[in-house]
């Protein structure tokens, strides 16, 4: 048995590059197999990418009555040009899949690149990156793209080890700008982590008795130089929003955050809690196998370990929301677990420990792929209903959704209506109510959105004002009765609104989705 295991280990090391490619491609199946890919915020990103295309077309004058494009370098833009370009050339659902494929492969190889930057040997545990891939089911597309970019910057910075030239500075400058346009949290983390890498490089030079102050200062200056253009944009972003700091949020207590550490994999399901505990097993194996290094070679001062501790400290003390953007703790959790896994994967381990940890990694990743593959198969059928209904909408109509689903993936699912012709204006467009996305509602439309907000609640909670204003502001009402029991509790005022001012004209085959056109609406 031991002989066969050793043969397997040697074969894997010999063919690791091709085996890893197959492993990475396996992680694309949950994206490729369903007819439609579904994530939480994804429909909103796709719909606003469609608006970006139409903004530069003949319908711009109509759109300008409701939204406007923000002409400033916002740190949340990177996926919109991609989705807009490929959506305009073909189909927005296909563009979404292309983006997910790019993300999955970037994440797999970005983690591998980071690990191998700190250990030149081929490492089987670089396959651990597969556990992290599908955190983006939350739909945070821009933030998700920031993670492989962050790994690439860290790995590149470590590889050049202070030996800066024009090519290195230019490469890191481009990467830092791309990271800024991905997400501000990832960009700020990159600045902190590169600073820690610089300190660690000088520490190692001191240990090896080759530290010299002028090269150290030149390296620090080059680090500042490649961050300078993106830093200027970040400072401008913060200054313009200095008066819009988050309200209604506070830093959670230390004990409360300790109680939430099970959220490190982000999804809050029993399967993932079990997977998290198996990651603890891998960590224990690595620590036991590396214990002499922990004691005698100051392993906790490893650059990846320093970054891991820094992210953990920020997790406990940074507010859950900043500059109007929430989920800060979740993002820091992901940085922490990513760096922790990269640190574990970069250690030199006995072959038995490495093979055991690699086997556990395979089982965990396959379990996640199976779990999400099944989930997306069902969600794809839900998306198909919206895709079909979108073709029934009148062009240039104002649309409001009554969402009676309790499935958390369905909160923004109505934005799928706006991906095909005709062009519509969705009131349920959360991006247009925030100032860190490409489009914002015009002041008048934003006021209408606030007045209609009770109808857009999840589920709808109408009040007298929203019921009174709806007929003058809404051309088409969409009712999503995914949970029949929830829909049966429909407010009597909504029944009256629909019967007096609207007429049904479309119903999906499954009966979950209905369209109502305003009786006085002529188009």
């Amino acid at each position: 048995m031991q002989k066969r295991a050793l043969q397997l280990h040697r074969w894997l090391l010999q063919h690791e590059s091709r085996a890893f490619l197959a492993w990475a491609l396996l992680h694309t199946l949950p994206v490729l197999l369903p007819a439609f890919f579904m994530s939480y915020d994804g429909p909103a990103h796709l719909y606003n990418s469609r608006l970006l295309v139409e903004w530069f077309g003949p319908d711009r004058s109509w759109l300008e009555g409701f939204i406007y494009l923000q002409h400033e370098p916002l740190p949340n833009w990177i996926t919109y040009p991609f989705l807009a370009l490929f959506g305009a050339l073909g189909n927005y659902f296909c563009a979404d899949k292309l983006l997910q494929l790019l993300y999955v492969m970037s994440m797999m190889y970005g983690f591998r690149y980071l690990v191998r930057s700190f250990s030149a040997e081929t490492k089987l545990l670089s396959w651990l990156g597969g556990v992290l891939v599908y955190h983006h089911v939350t739909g945070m597309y821009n933030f998700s793209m920031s993670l492989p970019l962050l790994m690439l910057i860290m790995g590149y910075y470590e590889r050049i080890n202070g030996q800066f030239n024009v090519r290195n500075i230019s490469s890191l400058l481009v990467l830092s700008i791309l990271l800024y346009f991905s997400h501000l949290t990832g960009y700020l983390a990159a600045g902190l982590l590169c600073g820690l890498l610089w300190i660690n490089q000088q520490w190692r030079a001191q240990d090896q008795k080759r530290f010299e102050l002028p090269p150290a200062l030149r390296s620090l200056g080059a680090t500042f130089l490649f961050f300078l253009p993106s830093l200027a944009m970040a400072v401008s972003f913060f200054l313009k929003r200095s008066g819009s700091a988050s309200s209604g949020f506070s830093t959670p207590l230390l004990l409360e955050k300790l109680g939430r550490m099970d959220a490190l994999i982000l999804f809050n399901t029993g399967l993932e809690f079990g997977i998290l505990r198996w990651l603890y097993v891998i960590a224990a194996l690595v620590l036991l196998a590396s214990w002499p290094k922990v004691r005698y070679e100051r392993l906790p001062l490893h650059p990846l370990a320093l970054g891991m501790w820094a992210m953990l400290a920020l997790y406990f003390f940074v507010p859950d929301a900043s500059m109007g953007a929430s989920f800060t703790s979740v993002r820091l959790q992901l940085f922490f677990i990513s760096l922790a896994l990269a640190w574990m994967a970069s250690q030199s381990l006995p072959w038995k420990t490495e093979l055991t940890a690699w086997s556990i990694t395979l089982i965990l990743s396959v379990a996640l792929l199976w779990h999400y593959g099944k989930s997306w198969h069902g969600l794809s059928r839900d998306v198909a209903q919206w895709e079909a209904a979108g073709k029934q909408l009148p062009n240039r109509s104002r649309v409001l959704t009554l969402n009676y689903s309790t499935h958390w993936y369905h909160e923004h699912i109505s934005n799928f209506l706006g991906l095909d012709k005709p062009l519509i204006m969705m009131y349920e467009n959360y991006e247009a109510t925030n100032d860190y996305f490409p489009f914002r509602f015009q002041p008048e439309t934003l006021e209408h959105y606030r007045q209609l907000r009770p109808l857009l609640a999840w589920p709808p909670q109408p009040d007298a004002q929203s019921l009174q204003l709806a007929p003058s502001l809404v051309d088409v009402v969409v009712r999503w009765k995914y949970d029949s029991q929830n829909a049966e509790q429909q407010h009597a005022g909504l029944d009256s609104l629909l019967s007096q001012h609207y007429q049904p004209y479309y119903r999906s085959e499954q009966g979950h989705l209905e369209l109502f056109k305003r009786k006085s609406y002529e188009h």
Side-chain angles (χ1 to χ4, degrees), residues 158 195-205 301-303 306:
E158 175 63 19
L196 290 175
L197 284 176
W198 179 84
I199 293 171
N200 186 268
Q201 288 171 359
Q202 309 319 310
W203 184 287
R204 282 179 281 168
L301 296 179
H302 187 285
L306 286 174

Side-chain angles (χ1 to χ4, degrees), residues 341-358:
L341 292 178
W343 171 76
M344 293 192 302
S346 67
Q347 303 308 307
S348 297
L349 303 173
W351 73 268
K352 290 182 180 178
T353 305
E354 185 176 37
L355 188 61
T356 301
W358 175 82

Side-chain angles (χ1 to χ4, degrees), residues 18 55 79 146 185 223-224 232 267 295 327 343 388 415 434 508:
R18 282 176 287 181
W55 186 259
T79 60
S146 75
T185 309
T223 303
F224 179 77
F267 305 121
R295 294 184 60 189
F327 300 110
W343 171 76
N415 283 190
N434 294 287
S508 66

Side-chain angles (χ1 to χ4, degrees), residues 325-336:
S326 58
F327 300 110
T328 303
S329 288
V330 167
R331 304 177 205 276
L332 292 172
Q333 287 174 3
L334 185 61
F335 291 150
F336 166 74

Side-chain angles (χ1 to χ4, degrees), residues 98-111:
L98 283 175
L99 179 65
Q100 305 315 316
L101 293 176
L102 174 64
Y103 161 73
V104 170
M105 298 303 288
S106 299
M107 190 70 181
M108 295 293 289
Y109 277 93
F111 186 84

Side-chain angles (χ1 to χ4, degrees), residues 45-343:
H45 298 328
L46 286 169
Y47 171 59
N48 283 276
S49 298
R50 161 80 191 284
L51 294 181
L52 187 61
V53 172
E54 300 298 339
W55 186 259
F56 297 99
D59 286 308
R60 176 169 176 169
S61 58
W62 182 76
L63 286 173
E64 284 180 323
F66 305 101
I67 59 174
Y68 64 91
L69 183 66
Q70 301 200 77
H71 296 285
E72 61 177 294
L74 297 173
N76 213 19
W77 261 82
I78 195 166
T79 60
Y80 294 98
F82 182 97
L83 291 171
L85 174 63
F86 286 96
L89 292 175
N91 178 284
Y92 285 91
F93 292 103
C94 292
D96 191 24
K97 286 200 172 190
L98 283 175
L99 179 65
Q100 305 315 316
L101 293 176
L102 174 64
Y103 161 73
V104 170
M105 298 303 288
S106 299
M107 190 70 181
M108 295 293 289
Y109 277 93
F111 186 84
R112 174 184 168 88
Y113 179 83
L114 177 63
V115 170
R116 297 186 69 174
S117 297
F118 290 90
S119 178
E121 302 174 13
T122 301
K123 294 292 179 181
L124 293 182
L125 283 189
S126 65
W127 294 34
L128 266 172
V131 178
L132 300 168
V133 165
Y134 281 106
H135 78 273
H136 78 310
V137 297
T138 53
M140 297 186 289
Y141 286 2
N142 298 294
F143 170 74
S144 296
M145 292 303 298
S146 75
L147 193 53
L149 284 169
L150 173 62
M151 292 175 178
L152 187 58
I153 288 176
M154 287 186 66
Y156 194 89
Y157 192 92
E158 175 63 19
R159 291 187 185 209
I160 62 176
N161 195 22
Q163 304 301 310
F164 285 98
N165 53 37
V166 173
R167 177 185 175 184
N168 293 339
I169 293 176
S170 300
S171 299
L172 286 168
L173 185 147
V174 171
L175 288 172
S176 66
I177 291 175
L178 288 175
L179 181 56
Y180 170 81
F181 281 113
S182 296
H183 202 273
L184 195 59
T185 309
Y187 172 77
L188 295 176
L192 173 61
L193 293 169
C194 283
L196 290 175
L197 284 176
W198 179 84
I199 293 171
N200 186 268
Q201 288 171 359
Q202 309 319 310
W203 184 287
R204 282 179 281 168
Q206 180 71 29
D207 272 359
Q208 297 167 11
K209 302 189 184 303
R210 57 180 180 82
F211 174 79
E212 296 180 6
L213 184 59
L217 292 178
R218 284 197 297 269
S219 175
L220 182 61
T223 303
F224 179 77
L225 181 62
F226 75 74
F227 269 113
L228 187 58
S230 52
L231 182 61
M233 291 187 288
V235 170
S236 173
F237 177 82
F238 276 114
L239 289 177
K240 288 183 179 180
R241 287 155 180 80
S242 59
S244 61
S246 302
S247 59
F249 294 91
S250 60
T251 305
L253 297 174
L254 181 64
L255 290 178
E256 180 187 343
K257 285 217 169 185
L258 281 171
R260 291 166 47 198
M261 287 300 287
D262 262 342
L264 283 174
I265 306 297
L266 307 183
F267 305 121
N268 302 319
T269 69
L271 170 68
E272 289 143 346
F273 287 165
I275 285 177
L276 180 62
R277 285 163 177 76
W278 275 107
L279 290 178
Y280 293 155
V281 172
I282 295 178
L285 286 172
V286 172
L287 285 172
L288 288 173
S290 306
W291 182 244
K293 288 188 176 184
V294 174
R295 294 184 60 189
Y296 302 119
E297 297 183 18
R298 292 180 290 194
L299 194 62
L301 296 179
H302 187 285
L304 293 173
L306 286 174
M308 175 183 71
W309 305 133
M311 294 300 106
L312 186 62
L314 291 174
Y315 165 73
F316 283 120
F317 295 108
V318 171
D320 279 331
S322 58
M323 308 307 294
S326 58
F327 300 110
T328 303
S329 288
V330 167
R331 304 177 205 276
L332 292 172
Q333 287 174 3
L334 185 61
F335 291 150
F336 166 74
I337 195 68
S338 300
L339 292 171
L341 292 178
W343 171 76

